[in-house]
Amino acid sequence: MATAPTSARASTGQILPPQRQRDPALRTYAGRPDLPLPWSRLEGDVVHWAATAYTQARERQQSLPSTTLIPRIIQYLSGSQWPARPTAYGNSRPVTNRMFRQYWELVSLLTDGRPEPQIKVWDNDEGYSEVQQLLHSLLELWGSTPHYHDSLQDIIGFGLLSHGVGKVQWNPSLAGGMGDVELCSINPLRFFKLGSGSPMSPIPECECLIETRPVTIEALRRRYGDVARQVRPDADVTAGALQPMRPSSVSSEQWSKFSPQMQQVLGVRGGLGGASDSLYPVVEERIFWLRDPARNETSRTIRVGPERANWSYLVEPGQPLFPRGRVFSIAGGHVMNDTCNPYFGDQNGGPGPYVEFLPLRTAWLTGSMSLTANLIGPQDILNRLMAGMLETIKAGLIPTIITPENAISRSDLDNLSTTISGGKIEYNALRSAGQAPRFREQPQFPQAALTYTSLLMREMDQTTGSAAIDAAAQKEQIPSHDTMELIQNSRSSMVRLMGRRLENFGSVVGQKVVHRMLQFYTLGHRTAILGDKGTSVWDFSPLYGSLMQKGMLPEKFVNKFQFSIRPGSALSFDKETRAQASVLLNRAGLLSNKNVIRSLNAAGANINEKQNEVELVQEAMQKLALAALGGQAAHSAGKERK
């Protein structure tokens, strides 16, 4: 069993530079107060452990199929679907990029829906019910931000390649410096797992999660202050930003076909030159989230985390130092931060704030199958069929001349064009032994190839369910509108399965977002968003301005609020069916008008209920006024006749 770096038992949870040393009794090795160590030795322990963990995690990930599949799939989606050898399949290498269309159609289907959140409280306390409604209002506004939709699209896009990784964190620089919760998309090639039975084991089963990202030295110093001033630019990372090196999992032919932007994304550290010429030198930051069973082995009470932070706590002698987990950041061979997991409630879902989206989860791989990777084989066959069809057409448009040797002079043969009609050819009958030059017989494209091409395209379209719609549109008798909607709503069972997986992902993400809101949304923050409606009874008792209750563990408080996504709400066509059913029930008198409007809003109609009621009243008054005027006119006309 791997052990955490020993310096975790030695300090308050943070590695500090020498000028900020604290009580020497806390700077001990392996819990021995009689053996103090210098800060450089303590930091060296953490750096060495982190380097070993990163190496092991990366070696495990390189054995996964997704490590090699993701670059190849991106290459196919970009249109580079033929080998790099120019003469491999002739001069013409056409691409019918069916994968491109299906990939973005699936992304569109999975992002069209508006998942409907449900927040429930375990008990019936009146104050908790008020907080429940408050969270509903905050979530509705938070879910309408562009950053959330962009990150969700990126996570779904990576999920269709192999698996998507999302990170729910508190960003203090958002909302004009007020801070806000954000959902970030993590490149799965820069995310590693360690301490589980398999590299693709679920996040809750892992002991350590590692995220890597290139950052500039300036950004690092803004975040960590004086601690980051000792970091020097990583020469190979900075040079790699200019000239990235090919990963070992990608062949040289595939690497040569990547665009420079894609090489920056998929490349590894390396390159030519140094960091001295870079205006903004770059260093790779590695963030480790792990479960650390270390205990306070000193005889003193230790504070873990910044003293003024709401996630800080005191650890009595003999108690665990990191009950919520531990997180530390390393850049340039130095520890930037080493503290506890700052987020409440994350210990049940893994050692960090990460959530995975597995659209096609399997039992035997303990991970997700790649949907787009299974389209590579049919796409290759389709490309070769289209290439053969194109070569057949070119053979008819630009025929090949076959002539005996020396029957036509070399200069005349070189200047002869087979695309000009009405040309004249003169040849030497004696030298050609009576054989005249002739055009090569035009090849006949097999009729079965056309049938096979249509079948292949139809099978690929079954992935997104568009094959049924195309088949209905090609019939002699056009189906009715209701029939087309029924066909469209049925879609593919695979799409519905991915929709359910997306709902599971959204439920876990939403649970973490609710935890962050309960932890970080102060009274001032909520009133800035909702005004007077952002207040709650818990803001005034027992701790002013906070929803947390004094005397209750924060983890216990946030876990009282359970978040979930209503089944079926992740896909838009399910909501359209529900909206149509609600209209029919309203006509039968079994459903109120307000419930019809709610169902239409869920389907994306975006109807303002209050404005709709005001307009209905105005229209009713206008109708009554017109009816009264009509009655008066009829009454006056009757009197005139008399």
Side-chain angles (χ1 to χ4, degrees):
M1 178 179 176
T3 58
T6 54
S7 59
R9 306 176 178 89
S11 70
T12 62
Q14 292 184 340
I15 296 294
L16 303 178
Q19 64 270 22
R20 296 175 61 189
Q21 294 181 10
R22 295 187 178 182
D23 190 347
L26 301 180
R27 295 183 288 109
T28 61
Y29 184 75
R32 294 180 55 188
D34 59 334
L35 185 59
L37 288 179
W39 283 95
S40 58
R41 176 67 179 275
L42 297 177
E43 185 180 24
D45 282 347
V46 179
V47 173
H48 175 72
W49 186 92
T52 304
Y54 174 73
T55 301
Q56 293 180 4
R58 184 163 185 170
E59 289 176 354
R60 294 184 71 190
Q61 179 165 305
Q62 287 179 349
S63 63
L64 297 174
S66 60
T67 305
T68 55
L69 281 176
I70 290 180
R72 187 181 179 191
I73 295 171
I74 294 176
Q75 177 183 356
Y76 267 68
L77 293 176
S78 302
S80 302
Q81 301 178 5
W82 289 89
R85 301 189 305 274
T87 59
Y89 300 102
N91 294 326
S92 59
R93 294 176 293 173
V95 170
T96 303
N97 204 340
R98 204 80 172 179
M99 287 180 60
F100 179 86
R101 167 189 168 184
Q102 291 162 339
Y103 173 81
W104 287 111
E105 186 171 351
L106 286 173
V107 171
S108 176
L109 286 173
L110 294 177
T111 54
D112 270 349
R114 292 178 55 189
E116 300 176 14
Q118 297 176 341
I119 303 176
K120 295 184 178 180
V121 186
W122 284 110
D123 52 42
N124 296 323
D125 191 287
E126 183 178 352
Y128 289 159
S129 300
E130 183 183 357
V131 175
Q132 175 182 331
Q133 297 299 325
L134 178 61
L135 290 173
H136 269 292
S137 301
L138 293 172
L139 278 171
E140 184 178 357
L141 294 175
W142 181 84
S144 61
T145 57
H147 181 76
Y148 164 74
H149 292 286
D150 293 342
S151 298
L152 182 62
Q153 177 179 324
D154 294 342
I155 293 170
I156 292 175
F158 275 120
L160 295 177
L161 301 184
S162 174
H163 65 285
V165 181
K167 181 180 181 182
V168 183
Q169 64 180 6
W170 175 261
N171 189 342
S173 63
L174 295 179
M178 187 171 55
D180 202 354
V181 186
E182 67 174 345
L183 173 65
C184 301
S185 174
I186 307 298
N187 189 335
L189 297 179
R190 294 185 174 273
F191 181 75
F192 309 91
K193 301 177 184 178
L194 193 62
S196 60
S198 168
M200 284 301 296
S201 295
I203 286 180
E205 298 180 5
C206 299
E207 296 292 332
C208 178
L209 303 175
I210 307 173
E211 176 192 352
T212 65
R213 57 186 180 189
V215 296
T216 62
I217 297 295
E218 294 299 326
L220 209 63
R221 291 173 179 173
R222 283 195 299 268
R223 283 165 46 206
Y224 298 111
D226 294 337
V227 181
R229 295 194 179 278
Q230 56 187 331
V231 178
R232 295 292 175 263
D234 199 338
D236 50 1
V237 174
T238 303
L242 301 176
Q243 187 175 351
M245 299 295 290
R246 176 179 63 86
S248 59
S249 59
V250 181
S251 64
S252 57
E253 289 105 0
Q254 291 177 339
W255 182 253
S256 63
K257 298 172 68 176
F258 286 157
S259 63
Q261 295 80 6
M262 190 56 59
Q263 290 180 354
Q264 293 286 352
V265 174
L266 303 177
V268 297
R269 300 179 357 170
L272 302 176
S276 58
D277 296 334
S278 178
L279 295 177
Y280 296 98
V282 178
V283 66
E284 183 180 66
E285 182 184 11
R286 299 173 184 173
I287 305 175
F288 296 78
W289 301 76
L290 64 151
R291 308 179 196 269
D292 192 342
R295 293 180 176 272
N296 180 11
E297 299 178 3
T298 68
S299 59
R300 301 182 56 181
T301 300
I302 296 177
R303 175 174 291 277
V304 179
E307 184 174 359
R308 296 185 178 181
N310 62 0
W311 63 87
S312 177
Y313 54 87
L314 296 174
V315 180
E316 301 293 335
Q319 297 301 314
L321 281 173
F322 307 103
R324 289 196 297 263
R326 178 183 174 192
V327 55
F328 58 86
S329 171
I330 293 180
H334 296 279
V335 178
M336 298 292 97
N337 190 25
D338 188 353
T339 183
C340 61
N341 184 342
Y343 302 124
F344 299 152
D346 277 1
Q347 66 272 18
N348 297 327
Y354 302 98
V355 185
E356 278 188 305
F357 172 53
L358 307 176
L360 295 178
R361 183 178 178 273
T362 60
W364 57 90
L365 293 178
T366 63
S368 177
M369 296 183 67
S370 175
L371 183 141
T372 47
N374 287 277
L375 297 175
I376 290 180
Q379 183 67 52
D380 283 338
I381 299 175
L382 181 62
N383 288 342
R384 297 194 183 190
L385 288 172
M386 299 302 294
M389 189 180 303
L390 180 60
E391 289 297 327
T392 303
I393 296 174
K394 289 173 61 178
L397 297 176
I398 310 175
T400 301
I401 293 180
I402 302 176
T403 177
E405 186 178 4
N406 297 326
I408 303 176
S409 64
R410 174 56 56 184
S411 60
D412 292 341
L413 188 62
D414 292 339
N415 294 326
L416 183 64
S417 175
T418 59
T419 61
I420 301 177
S421 60
K424 298 179 180 180
I425 302 177
E426 186 178 59
Y427 71 98
N428 192 325
L430 296 177
R431 293 183 179 181
S432 63
Q435 296 182 4
R438 59 184 177 84
F439 289 103
R440 187 180 66 177
E441 184 178 355
Q442 182 178 353
Q444 298 295 323
F445 193 77
Q447 186 66 27
L450 297 175
T451 305
Y452 183 73
T453 301
S454 61
L455 291 175
L456 186 66
M457 290 183 176
R458 177 180 175 81
E459 181 63 27
M460 295 177 72
D461 288 342
Q462 292 288 351
T463 303
T464 59
S466 58
I469 300 176
D470 294 340
Q474 294 174 3
K475 293 184 177 296
E476 295 182 359
Q477 183 178 359
I478 300 178
S480 64
H481 177 72
D482 294 338
T483 305
M484 289 295 294
E485 285 188 349
L486 182 62
I487 295 174
Q488 184 176 2
N489 293 345
S490 63
R491 283 292 178 175
S492 169
S493 58
M494 193 178 302
V495 175
R496 291 186 173 274
L497 173 62
M498 290 188 290
R500 292 192 293 270
R501 298 300 307 168
L502 182 60
E503 291 169 3
N504 294 342
F505 169 80
S507 296
V508 180
V509 168
Q511 186 71 32
K512 291 183 179 292
V513 172
V514 168
H515 288 176
R516 307 292 185 265
M517 289 181 174
L518 290 171
Q519 180 178 358
F520 294 101
Y521 273 23
T522 61
L523 176 61
H525 191 112
R526 285 178 271 115
T527 53
I529 299 175
L530 300 176
D532 295 339
K533 296 181 180 179
T535 60
S536 171
V537 294
W538 297 111
D539 289 319
F540 307 99
S541 174
L543 184 62
Y544 176 75
S546 175
L547 295 175
M548 298 291 177
Q549 293 193 41
K550 189 176 182 180
M552 179 183 293
L553 291 176
E555 289 81 2
K556 184 178 180 181
F557 175 76
V558 297
N559 286 328
K560 281 182 174 291
F561 299 87
Q562 296 299 314
F563 179 93
S564 63
I565 297 294
R566 192 192 67 79
S569 64
L571 300 178
S572 60
F573 47 78
D574 177 83
K575 298 178 181 180
E576 293 172 0
T577 304
R578 186 154 52 95
Q580 295 172 6
S582 64
V583 172
L584 294 177
L585 292 174
N586 177 260
R587 292 176 181 175
L590 300 176
L591 196 65
S592 65
N593 294 333
K594 289 187 176 181
N595 279 324
V596 173
I597 293 176
R598 292 189 187 101
S599 62
L600 292 175
N601 283 336
N606 195 20
I607 300 175
N608 190 322
E609 294 186 28
K610 293 183 178 180
Q611 181 183 1
N612 183 66
E613 291 179 358
V614 172
E615 292 177 353
L616 286 176
V617 172
Q618 292 176 352
E619 291 176 359
M621 292 177 65
Q622 290 177 358
K623 291 179 181 179
L624 291 175
L626 291 175
L629 291 175
Q632 292 179 0
H635 182 68
S636 300
K639 285 184 176 181
E640 291 179 358
R641 292 193 189 96
K642 292 179 179 179

